[in-house]
Amino acid sequence: MSVCWEDILRLPEAAYAGGRRVPKTVLTSRAMLTKHEQRTLDKMSRLEHFATVAKGTAQVLPRVDEEYDIQSVIFLRCEMKGDSQAVAEVARLLHGCFPNPTVILQEAGDGIAVSVALTRRSHAERGATVVYDVESTGLFDPGDERYVPFLESLAFERLPQDDLLSYLRAIASCVRLSQAIGALGFYPTCASQDRERLLGLVADYERLQAGADALGEQHRAKDISPNDSARIRMQMKIAGRELDAKVEEIRRICHA
């Protein structure tokens, strides 16, 4: 598929890297990948260095302290082979191949995905960094109207630029919120001062949804007794009411 990431990200012109290809052999040797990891890489057809956000390219200050050493954020464009189901697996592997924090822009069939990794200094190895958090949208249709506000939220001018860590964390929170679109039917947005509360509400919703899904699995069990069936149905009704109430909380904060 063809998607114009430049129109979505709207980075300063100096940040773009010209789509320089990153050979798989380079990743294999530099990251010392295992045979299994190399087979995972074979699920993508092309990897490009898309952009670099740093002080010299976008006037965003680095973050260097006892916990972080973030001199740049690397954007990679990854074309998957066909309609791949290995998007998350490939993204996680790629994130670990780079010492810098990375944002991976994936294309697979008619879908796209955005994955972002946060890194910090390693406590075990001097001079090394480790990935401590990865957020991914999963594949979605870029033509789906529900995702338009999410894609707009990734524009450079709409993100904080105090330093590279604040910029990166903002992208990660946008991606985190996008994961709720399928369940809520909309991309949850709110005033900046309410962002942490919104993230907490979305996390609560996902926890409740996971519990409701587990109850559904139990209720579908072939050997369930009539008494257990009735008990679980009651629990499912309660879970449904809790989910509805949580959605209403999210709607209120989004439209405040």
Coordinates of all heavy atoms in Angstrom, one line a residue, residues 32-75:
M32 N 23.7 -9.1 16.5 CA 24.0 -10.5 16.8 C 22.7 -11.4 16.9 O 22.5 -12.0 17.9 CB 24.9 -10.6 18.0 CG 26.2 -10.0 17.9 SD 27.3 -10.1 19.3 CE 26.5 -9.1 20.5
L33 N 21.9 -11.3 15.9 CA 20.6 -12.0 15.9 C 20.8 -13.5 15.8 O 21.7 -14.1 15.1 CB 19.7 -11.5 14.8 CG 19.4 -10.0 14.8 CD1 18.5 -9.7 13.6 CD2 18.8 -9.6 16.1
T34 N 19.9 -14.3 16.5 CA 19.9 -15.7 16.4 C 19.2 -16.2 15.1 O 18.6 -15.3 14.4 CB 19.1 -16.3 17.6 OG1 17.7 -15.9 17.4 CG2 19.6 -15.8 18.9
K35 N 19.3 -17.4 14.8 CA 18.7 -17.9 13.5 C 17.2 -17.7 13.6 O 16.6 -17.4 12.5 CB 19.0 -19.4 13.4 CG 20.4 -19.7 13.1 CD 20.9 -19.2 11.7 CE 22.3 -19.6 11.4 NZ 22.7 -19.1 10.0
H36 N 16.6 -17.9 14.7 CA 15.1 -17.7 14.8 C 14.8 -16.2 14.6 O 13.8 -15.9 13.9 CB 14.6 -18.1 16.2 CG 13.2 -17.7 16.5 ND1 12.1 -18.4 15.9 CD2 12.6 -16.7 17.2 CE1 11.0 -17.9 16.3 NE2 11.3 -16.8 17.1
E37 N 15.6 -15.3 15.1 CA 15.3 -13.9 14.9 C 15.6 -13.5 13.5 O 14.8 -12.6 12.9 CB 16.3 -13.1 15.9 CG 15.9 -13.2 17.3 CD 16.9 -12.6 18.3 OE1 18.1 -12.6 17.9 OE2 16.5 -12.1 19.4
Q38 N 16.5 -14.1 12.8 CA 16.7 -13.8 11.4 C 15.5 -14.3 10.6 O 15.2 -13.6 9.6 CB 18.0 -14.5 10.9 CG 19.3 -14.0 11.5 CD 20.5 -14.7 11.1 OE1 20.7 -15.1 9.9 NE2 21.4 -15.0 12.0
R39 N 14.9 -15.4 11.0 CA 13.7 -15.8 10.3 C 12.6 -14.8 10.5 O 11.7 -14.6 9.6 CB 13.3 -17.2 10.7 CG 14.3 -18.3 10.2 CD 13.7 -19.7 10.4 NE 13.6 -20.1 11.8 CZ 14.5 -20.6 12.5 NH1 15.7 -20.9 11.9 NH2 14.4 -20.9 13.7
T40 N 12.5 -14.2 11.7 CA 11.5 -13.2 11.9 C 11.7 -12.0 11.0 O 10.8 -11.5 10.4 CB 11.6 -12.7 13.4 OG1 11.3 -13.9 14.2 CG2 10.6 -11.6 13.7
L41 N 13.0 -11.6 10.8 CA 13.3 -10.5 9.9 C 12.8 -10.8 8.5 O 12.5 -9.9 7.7 CB 14.7 -10.2 9.9 CG 15.3 -9.3 11.1 CD1 16.7 -8.9 10.8 CD2 14.4 -8.1 11.3
D42 N 12.8 -12.1 8.1 CA 12.4 -12.5 6.7 C 11.0 -12.2 6.5 O 10.5 -12.2 5.3 CB 12.7 -13.9 6.5 CG 14.2 -14.2 6.3 OD1 15.0 -13.3 6.0 OD2 14.7 -15.4 6.6
K43 N 10.2 -11.9 7.5 CA 8.8 -11.5 7.4 C 8.6 -10.1 6.9 O 7.4 -9.7 6.6 CB 8.0 -11.8 8.7 CG 8.1 -13.3 9.1 CD 7.5 -13.5 10.4 CE 7.6 -15.0 10.8 NZ 7.1 -15.3 12.2
M44 N 9.6 -9.3 6.8 CA 9.5 -8.0 6.2 C 10.3 -8.0 4.9 O 11.2 -8.7 4.7 CB 10.1 -6.9 7.2 CG 11.6 -7.0 7.4 SD 12.2 -5.7 8.5 CE 13.9 -5.9 8.3
S45 N 9.8 -7.1 4.0 CA 10.4 -7.1 2.6 C 11.4 -5.9 2.5 O 12.3 -6.0 1.7 CB 9.4 -7.0 1.6 OG 8.6 -5.8 1.8
R46 N 11.2 -4.9 3.3 CA 12.1 -3.7 3.2 C 12.1 -2.9 4.5 O 11.0 -2.7 5.1 CB 11.7 -2.8 2.1 CG 12.6 -1.6 1.8 CD 12.2 -0.8 0.6 NE 13.0 0.4 0.5 CZ 14.1 0.5 -0.3 NH1 14.5 -0.6 -0.9 NH2 14.7 1.6 -0.4
L47 N 13.3 -2.4 4.9 CA 13.4 -1.6 6.1 C 14.2 -0.3 5.7 O 15.2 -0.4 5.1 CB 14.1 -2.3 7.2 CG 14.2 -1.5 8.5 CD1 12.9 -1.2 9.2 CD2 15.2 -2.1 9.5
E48 N 13.6 0.9 6.0 CA 14.2 2.1 5.6 C 14.5 3.0 6.8 O 13.6 3.0 7.8 CB 13.4 2.9 4.6 CG 13.1 2.2 3.3 CD 12.2 3.1 2.4 OE1 11.7 4.1 2.9 OE2 11.9 2.7 1.3
H49 N 15.6 3.7 6.8 CA 15.8 4.8 7.8 C 15.0 6.0 7.3 O 15.3 6.6 6.3 CB 17.3 5.1 7.9 CG 17.6 6.3 8.8 ND1 18.8 6.9 8.9 CD2 16.8 6.9 9.8 CE1 18.7 7.9 9.8 NE2 17.5 7.9 10.4
F50 N 13.9 6.3 8.0 CA 12.9 7.3 7.5 C 13.3 8.7 7.9 O 13.2 9.7 7.2 CB 11.5 6.9 7.9 CG 10.4 7.8 7.3 CD1 10.0 7.7 6.0 CD2 9.9 8.8 8.1 CE1 9.1 8.6 5.5 CE2 8.9 9.6 7.6 CZ 8.5 9.5 6.3
A51 N 13.6 8.8 9.2 CA 13.9 10.2 9.8 C 14.6 10.0 11.1 O 14.6 9.0 11.7 CB 12.6 10.9 10.0
T52 N 15.2 11.1 11.5 CA 15.9 11.2 12.8 C 15.5 12.6 13.4 O 15.7 13.6 12.8 CB 17.4 11.2 12.7 OG1 17.8 9.9 12.1 CG2 18.1 11.3 14.0
V53 N 14.9 12.5 14.6 CA 14.6 13.7 15.4 C 15.6 13.9 16.4 O 15.8 13.0 17.3 CB 13.2 13.6 16.0 CG1 12.9 14.8 16.9 CG2 12.1 13.6 14.9
A54 N 16.3 15.0 16.3 CA 17.4 15.3 17.3 C 17.6 16.8 17.4 O 16.9 17.6 16.7 CB 18.7 14.6 16.8
K55 N 18.5 17.3 18.2 CA 18.8 18.7 18.3 C 19.2 19.3 16.9 O 18.7 20.4 16.5 CB 19.8 19.0 19.3 CG 20.1 20.4 19.5 CD 21.2 20.7 20.6 CE 21.5 22.2 20.7 NZ 22.6 22.4 21.7
G56 N 20.0 18.5 16.2 CA 20.5 19.1 14.9 C 19.6 19.0 13.8 O 19.7 19.7 12.8
T57 N 18.5 18.2 13.9 CA 17.6 18.0 12.8 C 16.2 18.7 13.1 O 15.5 19.0 12.1 CB 17.3 16.6 12.4 OG1 16.7 15.9 13.6 CG2 18.6 15.9 12.1
A58 N 15.9 18.8 14.3 CA 14.5 19.3 14.7 C 14.5 20.2 15.9 O 13.4 20.6 16.4 CB 13.6 18.1 15.0
Q59 N 15.7 20.6 16.3 CA 15.8 21.5 17.5 C 15.1 21.0 18.7 O 14.6 21.8 19.5 CB 15.2 22.9 17.1 CG 16.0 23.6 15.9 CD 17.5 23.8 16.2 OE1 17.8 24.4 17.2 NE2 18.3 23.3 15.3
V60 N 15.2 19.7 19.0 CA 14.7 19.1 20.2 C 15.8 18.7 21.0 O 16.7 17.9 20.5 CB 13.7 17.9 19.9 CG1 13.1 17.4 21.2 CG2 12.6 18.3 19.0
L61 N 15.9 19.1 22.2 CA 17.1 18.9 23.1 C 17.2 17.4 23.5 O 16.2 16.7 23.7 CB 17.0 19.7 24.3 CG 17.2 21.2 24.1 CD1 16.9 22.0 25.5 CD2 18.5 21.6 23.6
P62 N 18.4 16.9 23.6 CA 18.6 15.5 24.1 C 18.2 15.4 25.6 O 18.1 16.5 26.3 CB 20.1 15.3 23.9 CG 20.7 16.6 24.0 CD 19.7 17.6 23.4
R63 N 18.1 14.2 26.1 CA 17.8 14.0 27.5 C 19.0 13.1 28.0 O 19.0 11.9 27.6 CB 16.5 13.3 27.7 CG 16.2 12.9 29.2 CD 16.0 14.2 30.0 NE 15.5 13.8 31.3 CZ 14.2 13.9 31.7 NH1 13.3 14.2 30.8 NH2 13.8 13.5 32.9
V64 N 19.8 13.6 28.8 CA 21.0 12.9 29.4 C 21.0 13.1 30.9 O 21.2 14.2 31.3 CB 22.3 13.3 28.7 CG1 23.5 12.5 29.3 CG2 22.2 13.2 27.2
D65 N 20.8 12.0 31.6 CA 20.9 12.1 33.0 C 21.3 10.7 33.5 O 21.7 9.8 32.7 CB 19.6 12.6 33.7 CG 18.4 11.8 33.2 OD1 18.5 10.6 32.9 OD2 17.3 12.4 33.2
E66 N 21.1 10.4 34.8 CA 21.5 9.1 35.3 C 20.6 8.0 34.8 O 21.1 6.8 34.7 CB 21.3 9.1 36.9 CG 22.4 10.0 37.6 CD 22.3 9.9 39.1 OE1 21.4 9.1 39.6 OE2 23.1 10.5 39.8
E67 N 19.4 8.2 34.3 CA 18.5 7.2 33.9 C 18.4 7.1 32.3 O 18.2 6.0 31.8 CB 17.1 7.5 34.4 CG 16.1 6.4 34.2 CD 16.3 5.2 35.1 OE1 17.1 5.3 36.0 OE2 15.7 4.1 34.8
Y68 N 18.7 8.2 31.7 CA 18.5 8.3 30.2 C 19.7 8.8 29.5 O 20.4 9.7 30.0 CB 17.3 9.1 29.8 CG 16.0 8.6 30.4 CD1 15.4 9.2 31.5 CD2 15.3 7.5 29.8 CE1 14.2 8.7 32.1 CE2 14.1 7.1 30.3 CZ 13.6 7.7 31.5 OH 12.4 7.2 32.0
D69 N 19.9 8.3 28.3 CA 20.9 8.9 27.4 C 20.2 8.9 26.0 O 20.5 8.0 25.2 CB 22.2 8.1 27.4 CG 23.3 8.8 26.5 OD1 23.0 9.9 26.0 OD2 24.3 8.2 26.3
I70 N 19.4 9.9 25.7 CA 18.6 10.0 24.5 C 19.1 11.1 23.7 O 18.8 12.3 24.0 CB 17.1 10.1 24.8 CG1 16.6 8.9 25.6 CG2 16.3 10.1 23.4 CD1 15.1 9.1 26.0
Q71 N 19.9 10.8 22.6 CA 20.5 11.8 21.8 C 19.7 12.0 20.5 O 19.7 13.1 19.9 CB 21.9 11.4 21.4 CG 22.9 11.2 22.6 CD 23.3 12.5 23.2 OE1 23.2 13.6 22.7 NE2 23.9 12.3 24.4
S72 N 18.8 11.0 20.2 CA 18.0 11.1 19.0 C 16.9 10.1 19.0 O 17.0 9.1 19.8 CB 18.9 10.9 17.7 OG 19.5 9.6 17.7
V73 N 15.9 10.3 18.2 CA 14.8 9.3 18.1 C 14.8 8.9 16.6 O 14.7 9.8 15.7 CB 13.4 9.9 18.5 CG1 12.3 8.9 18.2 CG2 13.4 10.3 19.9
I74 N 14.9 7.6 16.3 CA 15.0 7.1 15.0 C 13.6 6.6 14.5 O 13.0 5.8 15.2 CB 16.0 6.0 14.9 CG1 17.4 6.4 15.4 CG2 16.2 5.5 13.4 CD1 18.0 7.5 14.7
F75 N 13.2 7.1 13.3 CA 12.0 6.6 12.7 C 12.4 5.6 11.6 O 13.2 6.0 10.7 CB 11.2 7.8 12.1 CG 10.5 8.6 13.1 CD1 11.2 9.5 13.9 CD2 9.1 8.5 13.3 CE1 10.6 10.3 14.8 CE2 8.5 9.3 14.2 CZ 9.2 10.2 15.0

